[in-house]
Amino acid sequence: MLGNPNRERLDLDDAPPVDAFVDVLTDVPQAPDWLVGKTGSAGVLALAAWESLAPLLVQARQLRQGDEIALGRYCRYVAEWVVMTDEIDEMGMVVIDEGPKGGQTTKANPLLSARRGVEAAAAALERELGLNPRARIEVQKRLMQHVKDLPQLAGKTQPRQGGAIGFLENDDE
């Protein structure tokens, strides 16, 4: 059960830090080898995304051990999305296709579909890594699941004086 249903006064001064329960990284990790040294615009953009996001996530205490691969994939997806968007901007939303009998037809740029796939994968990782406001709330909820027993673990609970509605009870009688 979350919260403090008995409304006990909690003395958490000596409680272990929350990070002790969830393996939060305190140093910015190196980018994965498969993300470093790639040529081409997507490779350069992916590494730039890592160098921008990893320090922010560590500072926000959102990056945990094992998240490096997911963050690397997210950075690669963002880079691919940017490259595809640039190509769509150059080619247009509709492309002309040569038909089998020499005629021309117009169709949606196939990069639109590919970009949607990359965007969906990136959005899923955004949720997992807490990279948007709603996802940050969900990450914090998951974090609280790890520390719901913090007062008991710390051994620092104190009963509230005067019962559940102590401020209404008169202790002088």
Side-chain angles (χ1 to χ4, degrees):
M1 179 178 293
L2 289 175
N4 187 5
N6 296 330
R7 299 187 192 279
E8 296 172 336
R9 185 163 305 189
L10 302 177
D11 179 11
L12 298 177
D13 292 336
D14 295 326
V18 170
D19 297 351
F21 299 100
V22 292
D23 299 326
V24 172
L25 295 178
T26 56
D27 295 320
V28 177
Q30 294 293 318
D33 291 340
W34 49 265
L35 198 63
V36 177
K38 299 294 181 189
T39 58
S41 56
V44 172
L45 287 171
L47 186 57
W50 175 278
E51 291 171 350
S52 174
L53 285 173
L56 294 174
L57 289 171
V58 168
Q59 181 182 9
R61 308 184 83 63
Q62 295 275 105
L63 199 59
R64 286 157 181 69
Q65 289 181 348
D67 287 348
E68 297 95 335
I69 292 173
L71 178 59
R73 283 190 1 239
Y74 175 77
C75 292
R76 182 63 193 201
Y77 293 156
V78 168
E80 290 173 0
W81 186 89
V82 169
V83 169
M84 286 182 204
T85 299
D86 288 346
E87 289 180 19
I88 291 168
D89 289 345
E90 283 181 26
M91 296 171 61
M93 303 285 271
V94 177
V95 294
I96 298 173
D97 191 24
E98 296 292 329
K101 297 180 181 177
Q104 294 181 341
T105 60
T106 57
K107 66 177 185 176
N109 190 331
L111 286 174
L112 291 169
S113 177
R115 185 178 66 174
R116 273 192 298 273
V118 169
E119 190 168 2
L125 283 171
E126 275 180 10
R127 287 187 295 275
E128 291 300 314
L129 293 169
L131 294 175
N132 63 45
R134 183 175 182 172
R136 278 190 289 279
I137 291 169
E138 292 301 317
V139 167
Q140 292 303 320
K141 283 181 184 177
R142 286 196 312 255
L143 174 63
M144 291 310 295
Q145 289 296 320
H146 289 286
V147 296
K148 66 182 179 180
D149 297 323
L150 185 60
Q152 292 77 16
L153 291 172
K156 297 290 183 178
T157 59
Q158 299 174 352
R160 185 174 183 184
Q161 300 297 319
I165 54 172
F167 70 94
L168 294 177
E169 294 176 354
N170 188 348
D171 290 337
D172 295 337
E173 296 178 1

